[in-house]
Amino acid sequence: DQQVKQNSPSLSVQEGRISILNCDYTNSMFDYFLWYKKYPAEGPTFLISISSIKDKNEDGRFTVFLNKSAKHLSLHIVPSQPGDSAVYFCAARGYGQNFVFGPGTRLSVLP
Amino acid sequence: EADIYQTPRYLVIGTGKKITLECSQTMGHDKMYWYQQDPGMELHLIHYSYGVNSTEKGDLSSESTVSRIRTEHFPLTLESARPSHTSQYLCASSETRTSEDEQFFGPGTRLTVL
């Protein structure tokens, strides 16, 4: 039973447009969330985080939104660049727990 | 920049062989992790350690074993490799002195067992 879901296996976006990657979770005890980016043949790299006391966190072109009542978070990338093409993983954990990862969404940014 | 290393990066080996996947980090992190990932699937935690001489099994059952004799080193061993062990193995570490414990990942080892 997946506790962290990323229902879109892939997403294609035109360069310069907004990319929106979605993540849903089922465990109401999750209180800290991360997004990672992964290129082929490399390990995931940390992008941005958000804790449950916030509903938005922004870092440059990347913004994460958290809707606790819907158990949903999203990552917005604006503007999208070809170098953003990668697999994006959502991860969540409760206090003192290990992270649970989603299956990832493959983003392709088309020039 | 994260300093976490994994060797080998790629390994093709025959059934029944014993293998050890190496993972080292130079950040002094107390927590270390091993994940297994199949293509298009989520990362599954198979082992973790909160410090020297501390090891725990993760959410996904694995026939591998780990050891943590030194803070910086967290090797994973398969006593007898099987084709079902074919996967990518990712090592990670984190600092837990704060509530924000992002994990830093190594580049991974892609294991193929023939």
Side-chain angles (χ1 to χ4, degrees):
Chain A
D1 182 32
Q2 277 188 335
Q3 295 187 72
V4 178
K5 302 176 184 180
Q6 294 178 257
N7 292 323
S8 297
S10 62
L11 174 69
S12 291
V13 170
Q14 209 68 34
E15 180 180 4
R17 300 289 191 111
I18 184 171
S19 294
I20 300 176
L21 298 115
N22 293 304
C23 177
D24 297 287
Y25 60 96
T26 59
N27 190 335
S28 58
M29 300 303 291
F30 287 157
D31 63 1
Y32 190 56
F33 306 87
L34 307 178
W35 282 95
Y36 282 88
K37 177 170 73 173
K38 185 180 185 298
Y39 292 120
E42 295 183 14
T45 55
F46 168 73
L47 266 180
I48 193 168
S49 65
I50 189 166
S51 72
S52 58
I53 61 172
K54 296 183 178 180
D55 55 17
K56 177 183 173 181
N57 189 25
E58 193 171 351
D59 184 1
R61 296 185 298 113
F62 302 91
T63 303
V64 56
F65 295 91
L66 175 62
N67 182 333
K68 290 185 288 295
S69 60
K71 296 191 183 71
H72 175 83
L73 64 158
S74 60
L75 174 68
H76 293 212
I77 306 173
V78 181
S80 300
Q81 300 173 353
D84 296 329
S85 297
V87 177
Y88 289 79
F89 291 96
C90 169
R93 69 147 171 80
Y95 181 77
Q97 302 297 309
N98 290 311
F99 281 102
V100 178
F101 285 79
T105 295
R106 181 177 301 279
L107 173 66
S108 299
V109 180
L110 309 172
Chain B
E1 186 175 328
D3 294 306
I4 180 163
Y5 309 98
Q6 289 185 246
T7 57
R9 293 291 309 276
Y10 302 92
L11 180 62
V12 180
I13 201 164
T15 297
K17 299 289 187 183
K18 177 180 178 179
I19 59 170
T20 296
L21 308 184
E22 301 288 348
C23 176
S24 295
Q25 51 97 4
T26 59
M27 297 170 284
H29 286 170
D30 49 355
K31 292 182 85 169
M32 295 189 74
Y33 313 83
W34 276 103
Y35 291 89
Q36 185 175 339
Q37 186 198 17
D38 294 323
M41 304 295 288
E42 57 266 46
L43 281 69
H44 287 289
L45 181 67
I46 53 175
H47 297 283
Y48 61 99
S49 167
Y50 287 167
V52 171
N53 294 326
S54 154
T55 61
E56 301 286 344
K57 290 190 179 294
D59 305 321
L60 182 68
S61 175
S62 174
E63 294 166 348
S64 57
T65 59
V66 292
S67 62
R68 190 90 182 275
I69 299 172
R70 303 197 315 265
T71 298
E72 63 271 21
H73 195 212
F74 192 41
L76 180 145
T77 298
L78 274 166
E79 290 292 334
S80 179
R82 295 208 301 266
S84 61
H85 296 138
T86 295
S87 189
Q88 184 176 39
Y89 293 83
L90 291 160
C91 179
S93 70
S94 68
E95 175 70 74
T96 52
R97 290 180 196 163
T98 70
S99 61
E100 298 178 352
D101 54 347
E102 295 84 14
Q103 296 180 11
F104 296 90
F105 283 84
T109 294
R110 183 162 296 282
L111 173 66
T112 302
V113 184
L114 303 175

